[in-house]
Amino acid sequence: MKNHVLATFLALASASAHAEDRHIDPGIWFASPAAEATDRKILLADADALPVLDNPSPGALLDYLHRAESLLGRNQRHAAWLHLRTALDIDDHAADEARNAVGDAADTVVERTRQTLRKIGDDGFAKDVAALPALDKYHWLLERATRTLPHELPEDQQAIVSALSDQDGKAFWNIYQKTRRSAAYGSVHTAHGDLDAGKDADKLAADADRGVREQAWKQRQAALAAQAETYASILVGIVRLNDRVAKMQHFDDAPEATYFARLFTRADVDATSKAVEAHASVLQDYQRLRAEHVAHVLGTEQAHSWDLSMPTPGFTPPAFDEERMRRVIPDALAPLGRDYVAHFSALLDPANKRTDLATSQGTRENDAFSMAAPGAPGTLFLGVWKPTVKEASVVAHEGGHAIHSQLMNERGVSPFFNHGPSWMHEGIAILNEMLFYEYLYRHTDDPAAKAYYLQAQLDEMTFEIFTSAEEAQLEEGLYDGVVAGKIRGAADMDALTLDITKRFEIWPSIDPQLAHAWIGKRLMFEDPLYLANYLYAGLWATRMFEMARKDPADFQKRYAALMAEGFDAPPRQLLARFFGKELSPPELVETDIAVIREKVVALGRLYRTLDAPRNAP
């Protein structure tokens, strides 16, 4: 039976293999499925046996924290193994159940550690640190354990609220997904045959025939509008559920509750998004530049949303096969230092069997992500590999998560601190994408290619900063409007969307169908109020990008320290440590906007070069 399980797992790792397919060696974590299952059983028992201590001595407390760290480190190895199994076969329900059990065990360890620290309290912990300074590194763990106390319900009430909110939240998300999947977008006739306006949206958006692009775009918008009231009902339900839970937990509203859990405040998010909005003219200048260039190429007076992905006449984006990807990405990340580049090269080296990619979907998960655990190198999973620049940028991003986690583990960062605020993780990975596009832009003499790469980089920067600020305002506005009874249905949501997006962009005034854009923002349905994370991630990534350009040597020192420290303090303190001083949101915004403005000017010069032959008599 054991041999059969191993054979099945290894078969999954080699199914539908092509010459380009690569697979992670699961032996990175465990010698066999049987070994993992045996160790998992022991782990679950050990996690369950972790007590809540009452008034331990300083030495006993340190031993206890080390024991909890060991449990979390072991847990992360199982989580990585099981994540790979569920990714290789989305129908592997046994692995999925085991993964959930491992996740529950980690939660148990964290919660019992929190309870132990709460019993000790601030004064008791200060005395323990005075007696045993080695405990001081866990101060942020104590702060995290106690900061939520004013918002916690009695255990029995909290269990009911958590169960109901989780169940209802998942139900709303499932309804949203089923509604999207059931939408009838209709077909569009093209020179290559009839294509579905929904399923084949990317192909249609890049079709050379402008009429095809327009028809496909408008059919998608019409399909969203046809079910808009269903989407609105789902979103209203989500808002009301989250608002009620937040108020039960003694928060003013759902945004405050969610931001508190993610180490923001509503005042911070509002100030930051408004600081970005104050520079919306920079985004609008970029969009007008794009629109004028596209209109010139098309020979039309006005470009529209459906023209933005049109193929540039005479230019085909370079293919990015696996060999080129393995060579270029490490070169592009040179500003992060030799050690970082060596780690990334090792991640992508087929001989190390740490990257999993395939050219056919099969039962593989259609996603890209990293996996890492103490005592094991970082790994990378790519659902389906396509030899494009965009897919290579995904490798740079997700590989960044893998290397970040590996470097923290190599440097002995506590498992309590190798996961921090989502926006900080995302900012580190987004930086890799920015450096990747910068390298491609700098290493070609072809004006069309330079424009293509610079445009891709600007799209990344403006999306992460401007669109995220816009989305943060939109989602907060929806919550405020629903709770106040001012937003009841799709028409109200459309009106709010247009009101906010017109303050940032030019396109909603040109194509008013973009009023339905709120429907496509799936995170508002899947992970409410998460979108603000990307605003901070984009601001931090762009600031790091500028530092890496201006003073590479200084940046590499700061970045190496960042990789080694983990998340052992509040975000504001971590940023002050990294930058050498505290920076307010407006200060971050000012520097980043200057970077974007400079790149818009450079793109304008390239467009003029490309358009010059057409302007010649």
Side-chain angles (χ1 to χ4, degrees):
M1 181 62 181
K2 293 180 181 179
N3 290 336
H4 171 70
V5 174
L6 176 59
T8 301
F9 185 39
L10 295 178
L12 287 171
S14 60
S16 304
H18 294 73
E20 299 85 0
D21 289 0
R22 307 292 180 190
H23 296 291
I24 294 170
D25 176 11
I28 287 173
W29 303 294
F30 296 98
S32 68
E36 186 276 332
T38 299
D39 190 74
R40 184 185 347 127
K41 184 176 180 180
I42 297 171
L43 168 68
L44 297 181
D46 289 347
D48 189 57
L50 183 73
V52 175
L53 297 186
D54 193 0
N55 195 31
S57 68
L61 176 59
L62 185 61
D63 289 343
Y64 177 85
L65 293 173
H66 287 165
R67 176 180 172 185
E69 284 175 326
S70 175
L71 287 168
L72 290 177
R74 289 166 57 194
N75 188 290
Q76 289 173 12
R77 293 179 75 91
H78 287 280
W81 167 280
L82 293 166
H83 198 176
L84 177 61
R85 284 191 60 179
T86 57
L88 290 171
D89 182 6
I90 59 175
D91 296 322
D92 189 340
H93 302 300
D96 188 53
E97 290 177 6
R99 188 179 167 199
N100 289 335
V102 165
D104 290 343
D107 292 342
T108 296
V109 172
V110 170
E111 181 56 31
R112 291 181 183 174
T113 304
R114 283 158 52 96
Q115 291 179 31
T116 293
L117 291 171
R118 285 175 175 180
K119 284 176 174 287
I120 295 169
D122 291 338
D123 293 341
F125 190 79
K127 292 178 182 177
D128 288 344
V129 169
L132 187 58
L135 284 168
D136 191 46
K137 65 179 285 190
Y138 299 101
H139 193 273
W140 176 229
L141 194 61
L142 171 69
E143 286 188 50
R144 281 163 45 190
T146 57
R147 69 187 293 270
T148 58
L149 279 172
H151 303 286
E152 292 189 2
L153 302 172
E155 187 175 349
D156 57 341
Q157 294 180 28
Q158 185 61 51
I160 295 171
V161 170
S162 297
L164 290 176
S165 60
D166 287 348
Q167 180 179 345
D168 290 349
K170 289 177 182 177
F172 282 126
W173 169 235
N174 287 337
I175 295 169
Y176 174 80
Q177 293 183 92
K178 290 176 180 178
T179 305
R180 289 299 298 266
R181 285 196 294 265
S182 66
Y185 295 95
S187 62
V188 179
H189 183 70
T190 76
H192 310 289
D194 290 347
L195 297 177
D196 186 280
K199 295 177 181 177
D200 301 311
D202 290 342
K203 288 182 181 178
L204 289 164
D207 196 285
D209 187 327
R210 192 185 190 204
V212 166
R213 296 197 302 274
E214 178 178 0
Q215 181 185 346
W217 189 87
K218 288 184 174 178
Q219 284 183 200
R220 286 195 299 278
Q221 301 305 316
L224 293 177
Q227 295 179 297
E229 290 301 341
T230 300
Y231 293 118
S233 295
I234 298 169
L235 195 50
V236 166
I238 291 171
V239 170
R240 288 177 175 163
L241 170 66
N242 291 333
D243 182 70
R244 288 169 184 165
V245 170
K247 287 174 177 171
M248 288 182 67
Q249 296 172 331
H250 314 297
F251 290 100
D252 289 338
D253 52 34
E256 183 194 9
T258 304
Y259 295 155
F260 176 85
R262 289 168 177 158
L263 305 177
F264 298 139
T265 67
R266 180 161 181 168
D268 286 340
V269 174
D270 291 347
T272 306
S273 68
K274 286 296 184 183
V276 173
E277 184 187 344
H279 295 282
S281 61
V282 176
L283 173 63
Q284 292 162 5
D285 287 344
Y286 171 52
Q287 292 179 334
R288 289 190 191 97
L289 179 68
R290 290 276 323 271
E292 290 167 4
H293 173 67
V294 170
H296 183 83
V297 171
L298 291 172
T300 187
E301 184 176 342
Q302 177 65 64
H304 286 270
S305 298
W306 53 83
D307 295 318
L308 297 181
S309 297
M310 59 166 278
T312 302
F315 173 72
T316 301
F320 236 89
D321 60 25
E322 187 191 352
E323 180 182 358
R324 188 180 184 208
M325 177 263 288
R326 293 201 309 269
R327 173 173 51 82
V328 170
I329 292 178
D331 287 348
L333 301 181
L336 303 183
R338 292 182 180 178
D339 183 60
Y340 188 94
V341 169
H343 276 77
F344 214 106
S345 296
L347 172 69
L348 300 181
D349 187 344
N352 294 328
K353 298 182 180 180
R354 291 170 48 197
T355 295
D356 202 293
L357 59 87
T359 53
S360 61
Q361 185 73 60
T363 59
R364 295 168 63 87
E365 183 176 348
N366 186 22
D367 197 3
F369 53 84
S370 66
M371 295 161 287
T379 57
L380 176 63
F381 180 90
L382 306 169
V384 179
W385 168 252
K386 298 176 183 176
T388 66
V389 174
K390 182 60 181 173
E391 290 297 316
S393 77
V394 172
V395 174
H397 179 109
E398 298 299 336
H401 287 308
I403 301 306
H404 181 202
S405 295
Q406 182 178 343
L407 289 172
M408 286 191 290
N409 290 332
E410 287 179 356
R411 285 150 178 76
V413 172
S414 165
F416 282 120
F417 303 132
N418 62 13
H419 288 79
S422 298
W423 66 268
M424 297 193 79
H425 286 276
E426 290 302 327
I428 288 168
I430 290 168
L431 170 63
N432 283 11
E433 292 188 76
M434 292 180 179
L435 292 172
F436 172 67
Y437 286 123
E438 181 77 3
Y439 179 89
L440 295 175
Y441 165 66
R442 297 288 179 187
H443 287 76
T444 180
D445 295 324
D446 178 7
K450 288 182 82 70
Y452 177 81
Y453 296 133
L454 182 54
Q455 181 180 300
Q457 187 185 54
L458 272 168
D459 285 346
E460 175 73 20
M461 289 180 173
T462 57
F463 179 80
E464 299 296 352
I465 295 175
F466 286 103
T467 304
S468 296
E470 177 185 295
E471 289 172 336
Q473 291 188 22
L474 173 61
E475 195 162 18
E476 281 189 11
L478 285 168
Y479 272 76
D480 292 345
V482 169
V483 172
K486 296 178 180 179
I487 293 179
R488 295 182 174 87
D492 300 323
M493 294 181 184
D494 285 353
L496 178 66
T497 300
L498 280 181
D499 177 61
I500 292 175
T501 55
K502 282 182 177 179
R503 300 203 299 263
F504 284 86
E505 305 182 47
I506 69 168
W507 295 111
S509 296
I510 296 170
D511 299 316
Q513 298 96 322
L514 289 169
H516 311 312
W518 59 271
I519 298 173
K521 297 185 183 298
R522 66 173 181 83
L523 280 175
M524 293 202 306
F525 299 83
E526 180 184 9
D527 196 351
L529 295 158
Y530 185 88
L531 289 165
N533 280 279
Y534 292 108
L535 169 59
Y536 288 87
L539 287 170
W540 190 31
T542 304
R543 182 58 181 265
M544 288 192 290
F545 171 80
E546 181 64 359
M547 292 169 68
R549 285 202 309 171
K550 291 293 179 66
D551 192 344
D554 178 69
F555 176 76
Q556 286 175 18
K557 293 177 183 177
R558 295 176 186 273
Y559 195 77
L562 176 71
M563 294 291 102
E565 290 170 353
F567 302 93
D568 59 352
R572 190 179 296 275
Q573 187 175 328
L574 293 174
L575 290 181
R577 204 186 285 171
F578 177 76
F579 290 123
K581 62 178 182 178
E582 284 203 17
L583 289 179
S584 66
E587 287 179 292
L588 268 177
V589 171
E590 289 292 335
T591 301
D592 292 354
I593 295 301
V595 173
I596 294 172
R597 187 181 288 114
E598 169 203 325
K599 289 188 169 293
V600 171
V601 171
L603 183 62
R605 289 196 295 266
L606 284 168
Y607 280 164
R608 288 192 291 276
T609 299
L610 293 170
D611 293 343
R614 300 184 181 91
N615 293 329

